[in-house]
């Protein structure tokens, strides 16, 4: 889905940037331009970045719940 229409940035691109080490909105703005024009994308982009940088607790719980 497109998150930033001004620069044509998708949620996948934001997740990929997070995987490559981007950890702040400032870095995301410098790298992809997100939040630099009209700013409407900033909240959504911040949520996607935060979600991408945090561990997936459900996957870890499922892994730990499996018998040895």
């Amino acid at each position: 889905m497109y998150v930033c229409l001004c620069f044509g940035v998708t949620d996948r691109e934001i997740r990929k940037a997070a995987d490559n080490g981007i950890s702040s909105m400032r870095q995301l703005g410098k790298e992809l331009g997100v939040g630099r024009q009209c700013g409407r994308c900033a909240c959504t982009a911040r949520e996607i970045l935060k979600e991408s940088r945090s561990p997936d607790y459900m996957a870890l719980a499922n892994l730990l719940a499996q018998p040895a």
Side-chain angles (χ1 to χ4, degrees):
M1 127 182 111
Y2 280 96
V3 175
C4 178
L5 296 178
C6 297
F7 291 98
V9 179
T10 65
D11 61 322
R12 288 180 182 175
E13 290 174 293
I14 294 172
R15 285 186 177 91
K16 184 176 179 182
D19 289 343
N20 290 331
I22 299 293
S23 61
S24 72
M25 282 299 293
R26 180 173 291 208
Q27 291 173 325
L28 196 59
K30 286 181 180 178
E31 186 73 24
L32 301 176
V34 173
R36 298 286 181 157
Q37 190 75 27
C38 76
R40 290 183 178 195
C41 62
C43 289
T44 304
R46 187 176 292 110
E47 283 298 315
I48 293 169
L49 186 61
K50 185 173 130 184
E51 174 186 295
S52 298
R53 300 293 298 163
S54 65
D56 183 5
Y57 290 108
M58 288 306 293
L60 180 59
N62 288 335
L63 178 67
L64 294 174
Q66 294 176 359

PDB file of all heavy atoms in Angstrom, residues 22-53:
ATOM      1  N   ILE A  22      17.422   1.367   9.205  1.00  0.00           N
ATOM      2  CA  ILE A  22      16.765   2.645   9.481  1.00  0.00           C
ATOM      3  C   ILE A  22      15.946   2.484  10.753  1.00  0.00           C
ATOM      4  O   ILE A  22      15.144   1.567  10.867  1.00  0.00           O
ATOM      5  CB  ILE A  22      15.843   3.066   8.308  1.00  0.00           C
ATOM      6  CG1 ILE A  22      16.641   3.235   7.015  1.00  0.00           C
ATOM      7  CG2 ILE A  22      15.055   4.324   8.654  1.00  0.00           C
ATOM      8  CD1 ILE A  22      17.613   4.358   7.002  1.00  0.00           C
ATOM      9  N   SER A  23      16.152   3.391  11.713  1.00  0.00           N
ATOM     10  CA  SER A  23      15.460   3.238  12.986  1.00  0.00           C
ATOM     11  C   SER A  23      14.719   4.485  13.442  1.00  0.00           C
ATOM     12  O   SER A  23      14.123   4.477  14.507  1.00  0.00           O
ATOM     13  CB  SER A  23      16.457   2.807  14.063  1.00  0.00           C
ATOM     14  OG  SER A  23      17.454   3.796  14.212  1.00  0.00           O
ATOM     15  N   SER A  24      14.753   5.557  12.662  1.00  0.00           N
ATOM     16  CA  SER A  24      14.062   6.777  13.065  1.00  0.00           C
ATOM     17  C   SER A  24      13.370   7.421  11.866  1.00  0.00           C
ATOM     18  O   SER A  24      13.714   7.163  10.708  1.00  0.00           O
ATOM     19  CB  SER A  24      15.053   7.769  13.669  1.00  0.00           C
ATOM     20  OG  SER A  24      15.893   8.314  12.667  1.00  0.00           O
ATOM     21  N   MET A  25      12.409   8.286  12.177  1.00  0.00           N
ATOM     22  CA  MET A  25      11.710   9.004  11.113  1.00  0.00           C
ATOM     23  C   MET A  25      12.653   9.961  10.393  1.00  0.00           C
ATOM     24  O   MET A  25      12.523  10.184   9.203  1.00  0.00           O
ATOM     25  CB  MET A  25      10.514   9.771  11.688  1.00  0.00           C
ATOM     26  CG  MET A  25       9.316   8.906  11.969  1.00  0.00           C
ATOM     27  SD  MET A  25       8.660   8.105  10.483  1.00  0.00           S
ATOM     28  CE  MET A  25       8.037   9.519   9.558  1.00  0.00           C
ATOM     29  N   ARG A  26      13.601  10.509  11.120  1.00  0.00           N
ATOM     30  CA  ARG A  26      14.575  11.405  10.488  1.00  0.00           C
ATOM     31  C   ARG A  26      15.375  10.657   9.419  1.00  0.00           C
ATOM     32  O   ARG A  26      15.550  11.141   8.298  1.00  0.00           O
ATOM     33  CB  ARG A  26      15.511  11.981  11.537  1.00  0.00           C
ATOM     34  CG  ARG A  26      16.545  12.929  10.952  1.00  0.00           C
ATOM     35  CD  ARG A  26      17.313  13.578  12.033  1.00  0.00           C
ATOM     36  NE  ARG A  26      16.385  14.469  12.716  1.00  0.00           N
ATOM     37  CZ  ARG A  26      16.738  15.556  13.351  1.00  0.00           C
ATOM     38  NH1 ARG A  26      17.989  15.901  13.421  1.00  0.00           N
ATOM     39  NH2 ARG A  26      15.835  16.321  13.943  1.00  0.00           N
ATOM     40  N   GLN A  27      15.846   9.464   9.760  1.00  0.00           N
ATOM     41  CA  GLN A  27      16.592   8.647   8.799  1.00  0.00           C
ATOM     42  C   GLN A  27      15.693   8.238   7.639  1.00  0.00           C
ATOM     43  O   GLN A  27      16.127   8.246   6.481  1.00  0.00           O
ATOM     44  CB  GLN A  27      17.149   7.401   9.475  1.00  0.00           C
ATOM     45  CG  GLN A  27      18.244   7.656  10.469  1.00  0.00           C
ATOM     46  CD  GLN A  27      18.633   6.392  11.219  1.00  0.00           C
ATOM     47  OE1 GLN A  27      17.786   5.548  11.515  1.00  0.00           O
ATOM     48  NE2 GLN A  27      19.920   6.266  11.518  1.00  0.00           N
ATOM     49  N   LEU A  28      14.452   7.879   7.949  1.00  0.00           N
ATOM     50  CA  LEU A  28      13.508   7.469   6.912  1.00  0.00           C
ATOM     51  C   LEU A  28      13.239   8.618   5.947  1.00  0.00           C
ATOM     52  O   LEU A  28      13.167   8.427   4.737  1.00  0.00           O
ATOM     53  CB  LEU A  28      12.209   6.989   7.562  1.00  0.00           C
ATOM     54  CG  LEU A  28      11.249   6.189   6.708  1.00  0.00           C
ATOM     55  CD1 LEU A  28      11.898   4.922   6.176  1.00  0.00           C
ATOM     56  CD2 LEU A  28       9.998   5.854   7.485  1.00  0.00           C
ATOM     57  N   GLY A  29      13.111   9.812   6.485  1.00  0.00           N
ATOM     58  CA  GLY A  29      12.911  10.995   5.651  1.00  0.00           C
ATOM     59  C   GLY A  29      14.086  11.265   4.737  1.00  0.00           C
ATOM     60  O   GLY A  29      13.913  11.592   3.561  1.00  0.00           O
ATOM     61  N   LYS A  30      15.292  11.124   5.273  1.00  0.00           N
ATOM     62  CA  LYS A  30      16.495  11.341   4.455  1.00  0.00           C
ATOM     63  C   LYS A  30      16.624  10.291   3.373  1.00  0.00           C
ATOM     64  O   LYS A  30      17.014  10.586   2.241  1.00  0.00           O
ATOM     65  CB  LYS A  30      17.741  11.330   5.330  1.00  0.00           C
ATOM     66  CG  LYS A  30      17.906  12.569   6.159  1.00  0.00           C
ATOM     67  CD  LYS A  30      19.171  12.487   6.988  1.00  0.00           C
ATOM     68  CE  LYS A  30      19.334  13.737   7.833  1.00  0.00           C
ATOM     69  NZ  LYS A  30      20.529  13.667   8.681  1.00  0.00           N
ATOM     70  N   GLU A  31      16.303   9.046   3.722  1.00  0.00           N
ATOM     71  CA  GLU A  31      16.467   7.926   2.788  1.00  0.00           C
ATOM     72  C   GLU A  31      15.381   7.893   1.709  1.00  0.00           C
ATOM     73  O   GLU A  31      15.675   7.726   0.533  1.00  0.00           O
ATOM     74  CB  GLU A  31      16.458   6.616   3.586  1.00  0.00           C
ATOM     75  CG  GLU A  31      16.760   5.385   2.776  1.00  0.00           C
ATOM     76  CD  GLU A  31      18.222   5.273   2.388  1.00  0.00           C
ATOM     77  OE1 GLU A  31      19.089   5.850   3.065  1.00  0.00           O
ATOM     78  OE2 GLU A  31      18.492   4.596   1.390  1.00  0.00           O
ATOM     79  N   LEU A  32      14.113   8.024   2.128  1.00  0.00           N
ATOM     80  CA  LEU A  32      12.994   7.838   1.197  1.00  0.00           C
ATOM     81  C   LEU A  32      12.150   9.093   0.957  1.00  0.00           C
ATOM     82  O   LEU A  32      11.284   9.083   0.098  1.00  0.00           O
ATOM     83  CB  LEU A  32      12.072   6.718   1.710  1.00  0.00           C
ATOM     84  CG  LEU A  32      12.711   5.341   1.894  1.00  0.00           C
ATOM     85  CD1 LEU A  32      11.712   4.372   2.497  1.00  0.00           C
ATOM     86  CD2 LEU A  32      13.223   4.806   0.571  1.00  0.00           C
ATOM     87  N   GLY A  33      12.370  10.135   1.749  1.00  0.00           N
ATOM     88  CA  GLY A  33      11.586  11.356   1.597  1.00  0.00           C
ATOM     89  C   GLY A  33      10.273  11.354   2.373  1.00  0.00           C
ATOM     90  O   GLY A  33       9.515  12.312   2.312  1.00  0.00           O
ATOM     91  N   VAL A  34      10.029  10.308   3.129  1.00  0.00           N
ATOM     92  CA  VAL A  34       8.774  10.170   3.866  1.00  0.00           C
ATOM     93  C   VAL A  34       8.648  11.283   4.905  1.00  0.00           C
ATOM     94  O   VAL A  34       9.580  11.556   5.651  1.00  0.00           O
ATOM     95  CB  VAL A  34       8.711   8.794   4.572  1.00  0.00           C
ATOM     96  CG1 VAL A  34       7.511   8.687   5.471  1.00  0.00           C
ATOM     97  CG2 VAL A  34       8.688   7.684   3.538  1.00  0.00           C
ATOM     98  N   GLY A  35       7.490  11.953   4.914  1.00  0.00           N
ATOM     99  CA  GLY A  35       7.220  13.011   5.876  1.00  0.00           C
ATOM    100  C   GLY A  35       7.856  14.343   5.545  1.00  0.00           C
ATOM    101  O   GLY A  35       7.787  15.270   6.333  1.00  0.00           O
ATOM    102  N   ARG A  36       8.449  14.477   4.382  1.00  0.00           N
ATOM    103  CA  ARG A  36       9.174  15.700   4.029  1.00  0.00           C
ATOM    104  C   ARG A  36       8.333  16.704   3.236  1.00  0.00           C
ATOM    105  O   ARG A  36       8.705  17.849   3.137  1.00  0.00           O
ATOM    106  CB  ARG A  36      10.416  15.363   3.200  1.00  0.00           C
ATOM    107  CG  ARG A  36      11.410  14.504   3.906  1.00  0.00           C
ATOM    108  CD  ARG A  36      12.139  15.305   4.925  1.00  0.00           C
ATOM    109  NE  ARG A  36      13.123  14.482   5.607  1.00  0.00           N
ATOM    110  CZ  ARG A  36      14.173  14.987   6.209  1.00  0.00           C
ATOM    111  NH1 ARG A  36      14.377  16.264   6.220  1.00  0.00           N
ATOM    112  NH2 ARG A  36      14.991  14.190   6.838  1.00  0.00           N
ATOM    113  N   GLN A  37       7.214  16.281   2.672  1.00  0.00           N
ATOM    114  CA  GLN A  37       6.418  17.172   1.834  1.00  0.00           C
ATOM    115  C   GLN A  37       5.193  17.661   2.599  1.00  0.00           C
ATOM    116  O   GLN A  37       5.261  18.647   3.299  1.00  0.00           O
ATOM    117  CB  GLN A  37       6.015  16.452   0.541  1.00  0.00           C
ATOM    118  CG  GLN A  37       5.407  17.326  -0.510  1.00  0.00           C
ATOM    119  CD  GLN A  37       6.441  18.183  -1.213  1.00  0.00           C
ATOM    120  OE1 GLN A  37       7.599  17.845  -1.302  1.00  0.00           O
ATOM    121  NE2 GLN A  37       6.021  19.308  -1.720  1.00  0.00           N
ATOM    122  N   CYS A  38       4.088  16.961   2.505  1.00  0.00           N
ATOM    123  CA  CYS A  38       2.845  17.410   3.148  1.00  0.00           C
ATOM    124  C   CYS A  38       2.719  16.909   4.575  1.00  0.00           C
ATOM    125  O   CYS A  38       2.020  17.497   5.386  1.00  0.00           O
ATOM    126  CB  CYS A  38       1.627  16.994   2.328  1.00  0.00           C
ATOM    127  SG  CYS A  38       1.178  15.253   2.438  1.00  0.00           S
ATOM    128  N   GLY A  39       3.376  15.787   4.919  1.00  0.00           N
ATOM    129  CA  GLY A  39       3.378  15.268   6.270  1.00  0.00           C
ATOM    130  C   GLY A  39       2.232  14.344   6.636  1.00  0.00           C
ATOM    131  O   GLY A  39       2.186  13.812   7.738  1.00  0.00           O
ATOM    132  N   ARG A  40       1.296  14.121   5.730  1.00  0.00           N
ATOM    133  CA  ARG A  40       0.155  13.258   6.035  1.00  0.00           C
ATOM    134  C   ARG A  40       0.549  11.810   6.284  1.00  0.00           C
ATOM    135  O   ARG A  40      -0.156  11.078   6.949  1.00  0.00           O
ATOM    136  CB  ARG A  40      -0.876  13.312   4.914  1.00  0.00           C
ATOM    137  CG  ARG A  40      -1.593  14.621   4.843  1.00  0.00           C
ATOM    138  CD  ARG A  40      -2.642  14.574   3.773  1.00  0.00           C
ATOM    139  NE  ARG A  40      -3.373  15.837   3.742  1.00  0.00           N
ATOM    140  CZ  ARG A  40      -4.505  16.012   3.138  1.00  0.00           C
ATOM    141  NH1 ARG A  40      -5.060  15.011   2.482  1.00  0.00           N
ATOM    142  NH2 ARG A  40      -5.096  17.176   3.156  1.00  0.00           N
ATOM    143  N   CYS A  41       1.677  11.399   5.770  1.00  0.00           N
ATOM    144  CA  CYS A  41       2.115  10.007   5.888  1.00  0.00           C
ATOM    145  C   CYS A  41       2.869   9.724   7.180  1.00  0.00           C
ATOM    146  O   CYS A  41       3.103   8.568   7.520  1.00  0.00           O
ATOM    147  CB  CYS A  41       3.012   9.651   4.709  1.00  0.00           C
ATOM    148  SG  CYS A  41       4.521  10.653   4.629  1.00  0.00           S
ATOM    149  N   ALA A  42       3.253  10.758   7.900  1.00  0.00           N
ATOM    150  CA  ALA A  42       4.170  10.597   9.029  1.00  0.00           C
ATOM    151  C   ALA A  42       3.661   9.626  10.089  1.00  0.00           C
ATOM    152  O   ALA A  42       4.419   8.772  10.549  1.00  0.00           O
ATOM    153  CB  ALA A  42       4.481  11.959   9.656  1.00  0.00           C
ATOM    154  N   CYS A  43       2.411   9.730  10.487  1.00  0.00           N
ATOM    155  CA  CYS A  43       1.873   8.846  11.536  1.00  0.00           C
ATOM    156  C   CYS A  43       1.883   7.390  11.094  1.00  0.00           C
ATOM    157  O   CYS A  43       2.320   6.510  11.841  1.00  0.00           O
ATOM    158  CB  CYS A  43       0.457   9.262  11.922  1.00  0.00           C
ATOM    159  SG  CYS A  43       0.408  10.804  12.837  1.00  0.00           S
ATOM    160  N   THR A  44       1.426   7.135   9.879  1.00  0.00           N
ATOM    161  CA  THR A  44       1.390   5.770   9.361  1.00  0.00           C
ATOM    162  C   THR A  44       2.799   5.226   9.184  1.00  0.00           C
ATOM    163  O   THR A  44       3.086   4.089   9.555  1.00  0.00           O
ATOM    164  CB  THR A  44       0.619   5.715   8.031  1.00  0.00           C
ATOM    165  OG1 THR A  44      -0.686   6.256   8.235  1.00  0.00           O
ATOM    166  CG2 THR A  44       0.520   4.294   7.505  1.00  0.00           C
ATOM    167  N   ALA A  45       3.679   6.034   8.629  1.00  0.00           N
ATOM    168  CA  ALA A  45       5.063   5.609   8.428  1.00  0.00           C
ATOM    169  C   ALA A  45       5.727   5.297   9.763  1.00  0.00           C
ATOM    170  O   ALA A  45       6.451   4.305   9.888  1.00  0.00           O
ATOM    171  CB  ALA A  45       5.847   6.684   7.692  1.00  0.00           C
ATOM    172  N   ARG A  46       5.485   6.116  10.773  1.00  0.00           N
ATOM    173  CA  ARG A  46       6.058   5.897  12.109  1.00  0.00           C
ATOM    174  C   ARG A  46       5.576   4.575  12.690  1.00  0.00           C
ATOM    175  O   ARG A  46       6.357   3.814  13.263  1.00  0.00           O
ATOM    176  CB  ARG A  46       5.684   7.051  13.032  1.00  0.00           C
ATOM    177  CG  ARG A  46       6.367   6.996  14.379  1.00  0.00           C
ATOM    178  CD  ARG A  46       6.065   8.206  15.249  1.00  0.00           C
ATOM    179  NE  ARG A  46       6.666   9.417  14.696  1.00  0.00           N
ATOM    180  CZ  ARG A  46       5.977  10.430  14.154  1.00  0.00           C
ATOM    181  NH1 ARG A  46       4.665  10.399  14.123  1.00  0.00           N
ATOM    182  NH2 ARG A  46       6.602  11.476  13.671  1.00  0.00           N
ATOM    183  N   GLU A  47       4.295   4.272  12.528  1.00  0.00           N
ATOM    184  CA  GLU A  47       3.741   3.007  13.026  1.00  0.00           C
ATOM    185  C   GLU A  47       4.368   1.803  12.322  1.00  0.00           C
ATOM    186  O   GLU A  47       4.702   0.816  12.953  1.00  0.00           O
ATOM    187  CB  GLU A  47       2.220   2.981  12.868  1.00  0.00           C
ATOM    188  CG  GLU A  47       1.496   3.787  13.911  1.00  0.00           C
ATOM    189  CD  GLU A  47       1.729   3.273  15.312  1.00  0.00           C
ATOM    190  OE1 GLU A  47       1.661   2.049  15.534  1.00  0.00           O
ATOM    191  OE2 GLU A  47       2.012   4.099  16.197  1.00  0.00           O
ATOM    192  N   ILE A  48       4.504   1.897  11.001  1.00  0.00           N
ATOM    193  CA  ILE A  48       5.101   0.798  10.230  1.00  0.00           C
ATOM    194  C   ILE A  48       6.561   0.606  10.644  1.00  0.00           C
ATOM    195  O   ILE A  48       7.019  -0.517  10.823  1.00  0.00           O
ATOM    196  CB  ILE A  48       4.979   1.056   8.713  1.00  0.00           C
ATOM    197  CG1 ILE A  48       3.511   1.007   8.297  1.00  0.00           C
ATOM    198  CG2 ILE A  48       5.804   0.047   7.910  1.00  0.00           C
ATOM    199  CD1 ILE A  48       3.252   1.504   6.895  1.00  0.00           C
ATOM    200  N   LEU A  49       7.281   1.704  10.808  1.00  0.00           N
ATOM    201  CA  LEU A  49       8.681   1.633  11.229  1.00  0.00           C
ATOM    202  C   LEU A  49       8.786   1.007  12.612  1.00  0.00           C
ATOM    203  O   LEU A  49       9.609   0.117  12.840  1.00  0.00           O
ATOM    204  CB  LEU A  49       9.292   3.031  11.222  1.00  0.00           C
ATOM    205  CG  LEU A  49      10.775   3.137  11.502  1.00  0.00           C
ATOM    206  CD1 LEU A  49      11.583   2.374  10.457  1.00  0.00           C
ATOM    207  CD2 LEU A  49      11.183   4.595  11.522  1.00  0.00           C
ATOM    208  N   LYS A  50       7.937   1.442  13.536  1.00  0.00           N
ATOM    209  CA  LYS A  50       7.939   0.902  14.898  1.00  0.00           C
ATOM    210  C   LYS A  50       7.615  -0.588  14.893  1.00  0.00           C
ATOM    211  O   LYS A  50       8.276  -1.386  15.555  1.00  0.00           O
ATOM    212  CB  LYS A  50       6.914   1.662  15.734  1.00  0.00           C
ATOM    213  CG  LYS A  50       6.872   1.296  17.186  1.00  0.00           C
ATOM    214  CD  LYS A  50       5.931   2.241  17.911  1.00  0.00           C
ATOM    215  CE  LYS A  50       4.956   1.459  18.742  1.00  0.00           C
ATOM    216  NZ  LYS A  50       3.975   2.299  19.400  1.00  0.00           N
ATOM    217  N   GLU A  51       6.611  -0.964  14.108  1.00  0.00           N
ATOM    218  CA  GLU A  51       6.202  -2.368  13.993  1.00  0.00           C
ATOM    219  C   GLU A  51       7.321  -3.212  13.395  1.00  0.00           C
ATOM    220  O   GLU A  51       7.569  -4.330  13.837  1.00  0.00           O
ATOM    221  CB  GLU A  51       4.952  -2.430  13.115  1.00  0.00           C
ATOM    222  CG  GLU A  51       4.458  -3.798  12.769  1.00  0.00           C
ATOM    223  CD  GLU A  51       3.314  -3.697  11.777  1.00  0.00           C
ATOM    224  OE1 GLU A  51       2.262  -3.163  12.137  1.00  0.00           O
ATOM    225  OE2 GLU A  51       3.505  -4.137  10.625  1.00  0.00           O
ATOM    226  N   SER A  52       8.009  -2.676  12.432  1.00  0.00           N
ATOM    227  CA  SER A  52       9.087  -3.407  11.755  1.00  0.00           C
ATOM    228  C   SER A  52      10.314  -3.583  12.627  1.00  0.00           C
ATOM    229  O   SER A  52      11.066  -4.540  12.463  1.00  0.00           O
ATOM    230  CB  SER A  52       9.493  -2.689  10.478  1.00  0.00           C
ATOM    231  OG  SER A  52       8.415  -2.633   9.585  1.00  0.00           O
ATOM    232  N   ARG A  53      10.542  -2.656  13.539  1.00  0.00           N
ATOM    233  CA  ARG A  53      11.730  -2.694  14.389  1.00  0.00           C
ATOM    234  C   ARG A  53      11.530  -3.511  15.658  1.00  0.00           C
ATOM    235  O   ARG A  53      12.474  -3.853  16.331  1.00  0.00           O
ATOM    236  CB  ARG A  53      12.169  -1.272  14.767  1.00  0.00           C
ATOM    237  CG  ARG A  53      12.522  -0.394  13.596  1.00  0.00           C
ATOM    238  CD  ARG A  53      13.748  -0.824  12.866  1.00  0.00           C
ATOM    239  NE  ARG A  53      14.895  -0.749  13.773  1.00  0.00           N
ATOM    240  CZ  ARG A  53      16.043  -1.340  13.554  1.00  0.00           C
ATOM    241  NH1 ARG A  53      16.231  -2.038  12.471  1.00  0.00           N
ATOM    242  NH2 ARG A  53      17.030  -1.242  14.409  1.00  0.00           N
TER     243      ARG A  53
END
